[in-house]
Amino acid sequence: MCMRVRACAHDAIATAAYALGGASASGELASAVAMYVIQDAKPCGTGKSAMANVGNKANASGKKRKKGGAWGAATVEGLNDLTTAAILDDMSGPTAGSAATEAAKLQTSALRALTALCNVGGAMLSPSVRTNLDSAVAQATAQVNELTFADDVDDVMANRRDAVYDALLASVLAPRPFRSPNLPLAVATFSKGAEDPATAKKCTQLAMALNALLHPSAPPLAPQAIAPPREDADA
């Protein structure tokens, strides 16, 4: 499917998630849709580590061809590898700049859709989908963190960076039975971004939300959890 069409589909998913609320994140249909969004949110040919990982996967898959002809069995993972390889071929040809831009826009739309799903019903996603979602956000964050302050970031890459920051915060704040595995990454990422003039304002605001999570000042809701005042406190 064309990257532009997929990006429009992800934008529609984000809009529908905010309109439907938590119902959009529950059920088997939501889980199936989320997995396709997660796949497009992962780095794909637009970062140094992403291109290295794709190359390694291609070499590994080439040694495992057994049944199903020259291309092997038609699996979802195999088709994703072929799509990634096609994108990388486009990036090395005469339309390299256009392909890289479309890939970044696709990833941005996918990240915004994941942000919407986390915001409206992150706790309602199945555990496996939620784990894959958090992993995809972490991979996208690592890709953005490769950029240094001296790199020339255009509007497309800036939009992707903002989408990564929003998705990372949503991933951390959306409830889970345990502390979010992306919390240390979020603290480090927003601390680094606060030193960059281009992202200082946004990262400082996002870091404030993390500070409230790390250092809650409000008392617990259960009255039994609040210790009564001691009679000898003034003594």
Side-chain angles (χ1 to χ4, degrees), residues 1 4 9 15-17 32 41 45 52 60 75 81 102 109 112 139 186 192 220 228:
M1 186 185 298
R4 292 185 180 180
T15 302
T75 61
D81 290 341
E102 293 301 326
S109 297
R112 288 173 177 167
Q139 293 179 36
K192 176 184 176 182

Side-chain angles (χ1 to χ4, degrees), residues 22-37 117 125 129:
S24 62
S26 61
E28 296 181 358
L29 179 59
S31 298
V33 171
M35 292 306 298
Y36 283 99
V37 180
L117 291 175
L125 293 171
V129 172

Side-chain angles (χ1 to χ4, degrees), residues 113-168:
L114 294 184
T115 302
L117 291 175
C118 279
N119 286 338
V120 302
M124 302 178 67
L125 293 171
S126 65
S128 60
V129 172
R130 181 60 192 278
T131 298
N132 288 325
L133 187 154
D134 292 340
S135 176
V137 171
Q139 293 179 36
T141 303
Q143 178 189 30
V144 169
N145 287 342
E146 291 180 357
L147 300 176
T148 61
F149 298 160
D151 290 336
D152 185 15
V153 179
D154 57 13
D155 292 340
V156 174
M157 297 305 173
N159 290 334
R160 183 187 66 175
R161 179 184 59 197
D162 291 343
V164 167
Y165 288 164
D166 293 337
L168 181 59

Side-chain angles (χ1 to χ4, degrees), residues 7-71:
C8 292
H10 297 330
D11 292 339
I13 292 173
T15 302
Y18 286 120
L20 297 176
S24 62
S26 61
E28 296 181 358
L29 179 59
S31 298
V33 171
M35 292 306 298
Y36 283 99
V37 180
I38 289 171
Q39 183 63 36
D40 285 338
K42 296 179 179 179
C44 180
T46 53
K48 300 175 184 178
S49 61
M51 298 189 72
N53 291 335
V54 170
N56 294 334
K57 288 183 178 179
N59 294 333
S61 61
K63 300 178 182 179
K64 298 180 180 179
R65 294 174 185 169
K66 294 181 180 179
K67 299 181 180 180
W71 293 107

Side-chain angles (χ1 to χ4, degrees), residues 137-218:
V137 171
Q139 293 179 36
T141 303
Q143 178 189 30
V144 169
N145 287 342
E146 291 180 357
L147 300 176
T148 61
F149 298 160
D151 290 336
D152 185 15
V153 179
D154 57 13
D155 292 340
V156 174
M157 297 305 173
N159 290 334
R160 183 187 66 175
R161 179 184 59 197
D162 291 343
V164 167
Y165 288 164
D166 293 337
L168 181 59
L169 181 65
S171 170
V172 172
L173 296 183
R176 297 203 71 174
F178 46 85
R179 174 170 288 186
S180 172
N182 286 341
L183 180 58
L185 176 62
V187 173
T189 298
F190 297 153
S191 297
K192 176 184 176 182
E195 300 175 359
D196 186 356
T199 59
K201 180 179 179 180
K202 184 177 184 64
C203 286
T204 300
Q205 294 175 341
L206 298 177
M208 289 178 61
L210 294 184
N211 288 334
L213 182 64
L214 292 171
H215 309 289
S217 58

